[in-house]
Amino acid sequence: MTTGEMAPTVSGLPASLRGTLPGRYYTDPTIFAAEQALIFETHWFCAVLAADIPAPGAFETVQVARESVIIARGRDGAVHAYLNVCRHRGARLCTEEKGAVRRSFQCPYHAWTYSLDGKLIAAPNIGDMPDVDRVEFGLNRVHVREWLGYVWLCLADEPPSFEDTVIADVGERLGSPDAIVGYQVADLKLGRRISYDVAANWKQIVENFMECYHCATIHPELTEVLPEFAEGLASQYFVGHGAAFGDDVAGFTVDGSEGLDRIPGIAEDQDRRYYAITVRPQVFINLVPDHVVFHRMFPLSPTRTLVRCDWLYLPEVVDAGADIERSVELFHRVNQQDFAACERCQVAMDSRAYARGGVLVPSEHHIGEFHDWVQKKID
Ligand code: FES
Ligand code: FE
């Protein structure tokens, strides 16, 4: 098949319902390859927390679709990113996930050496590199932006405008580009990180995150804190809607008990409310008055996705060693409940029962827009 074929969906649906993507969209390596090339290698991709590479020489390596990328802080304090491939004979330059070098990366094969901004600075025994252009033979650079305290990459030669895609996406979903500003996300500090290795296609995870039809069934703690979620309409069903905390709920915690210090910049109408947004293609952000839960997805195969979830708080909360357990526990449980549901669907995607897909009920119809977006990208 080609990915360009229109997906045959279930027939005979009344106008109030619409079809989903057929099952093969969640298992077919051809479709996954198209998504890697046409979505993850062309869009901005949220790669690392900038504070995780704090000083010159600190680096992380990240898999972005088919490419391994080194993200390093240069001597000038700026973040640089380049493909993790030696320009001499193509050796993988760095095999560590993270670490720190003094001032350069040296290839373990023939010792070509690159500065922290990716220039070639030494190539032993070729006569002091008389004719080798150090920039031309430097590492292949990857476009970098820092926003919300994270390093975003784009592998495209000509990246789309960050403002018109990522920032506009957030503004559109929150109802205003300024709505996220008061949360001061870039100034918050990591309180906890949990990584989830999920046996499901990345689109299962996006779709699940977008809807709340499942909330009453699988999220008992979340619906206690946000009673309107029991009705099945997610924050993302509406534009700019924050779900209100229950009247007797003190904070966004696993038992509704009091949370931590409120982020001072948030607006009055953002207090005691929960906002959830998806930033295509691989970020979910949850905003509550005292913390931000920031998910990055790393699709590893058609049937496997790594999700890194960061809980971010005011620096003084983290530095004081405040008890963040009850707030972490709430969304950790939500994540576990959600990812178990995604895995439960994933195992059935190859069944003949789902060859033509399933059904989106009205409260899930906005997922159809995501399906249209994916299909348009890979066609
Ligand atoms: Fe890297 Fe030869 S492959 S120096
Ligand atoms: Fe959920």
Side-chain angles (χ1 to χ4, degrees), residues 8-173:
T9 55
V10 285
S11 51
L13 287 176
S16 59
L17 304 176
R18 58 170 287 174
T20 67
L21 293 173
R24 69 172 189 279
Y25 274 71
Y26 303 86
T27 58
D28 187 332
T30 313
I31 291 177
F32 185 71
E35 292 169 344
Q36 286 188 309
L38 300 169
I39 295 177
F40 295 104
E41 293 177 12
T42 59
H43 271 261
W44 288 97
F45 185 99
C46 186
V48 303
L49 181 64
D52 284 342
I53 46 170
F59 72 88
E60 285 200 15
T61 55
V62 172
Q63 189 71 27
V64 182
R66 294 167 296 182
E67 299 285 2
S68 173
V69 180
I70 299 176
I71 305 159
R73 195 167 293 279
R75 302 210 68 74
D76 56 356
V79 175
H80 303 276
Y82 20 78
L83 300 185
N84 187 8
V85 177
C86 179
R87 294 297 307 282
H88 174 222
R89 295 258 303 285
R92 174 68 77 230
L93 194 59
C94 179
T95 53
E96 292 158 55
E97 268 186 31
K98 61 187 302 177
V101 292
R102 266 181 65 77
R103 37 182 73 240
S104 59
F105 289 95
Q106 186 174 69
C107 179
Y109 197 177
H110 313 88
W112 280 31
T113 304
Y114 303 90
S115 61
L116 293 171
D117 62 2
K119 289 194 197 75
L120 180 64
I121 53 175
N125 300 326
I126 63 164
D128 200 21
M129 300 197 299
D131 300 319
V132 177
D133 182 311
R134 294 171 187 230
V135 174
E136 182 66 24
F137 284 88
L139 299 169
N140 287 92
R141 298 183 68 87
V142 173
H143 298 280
V144 171
R145 273 293 295 262
E146 279 188 65
W147 192 54
L148 302 180
Y150 284 81
V151 178
W152 304 65
L153 308 177
C154 185
L155 289 174
D157 292 338
E158 299 283 340
S161 155
F162 193 85
E163 285 70 19
D164 294 348
T165 53
V166 177
I167 295 177
D169 220 6
V170 169
E172 193 178 312
R173 274 149 225 285

Side-chain angles (χ1 to χ4, degrees), residues 208-212 214-215 218-219 222 229 331 334-335 337-339 341:
N208 171 83
F209 192 75
M210 289 180 76
E211 55 96 355
C212 206
H214 66 267
C215 289
I218 70 172
H219 294 319
L222 186 64
F229 273 16
F331 226 87
V334 170
N335 283 338
Q337 292 154 349
D338 280 332
F339 300 151

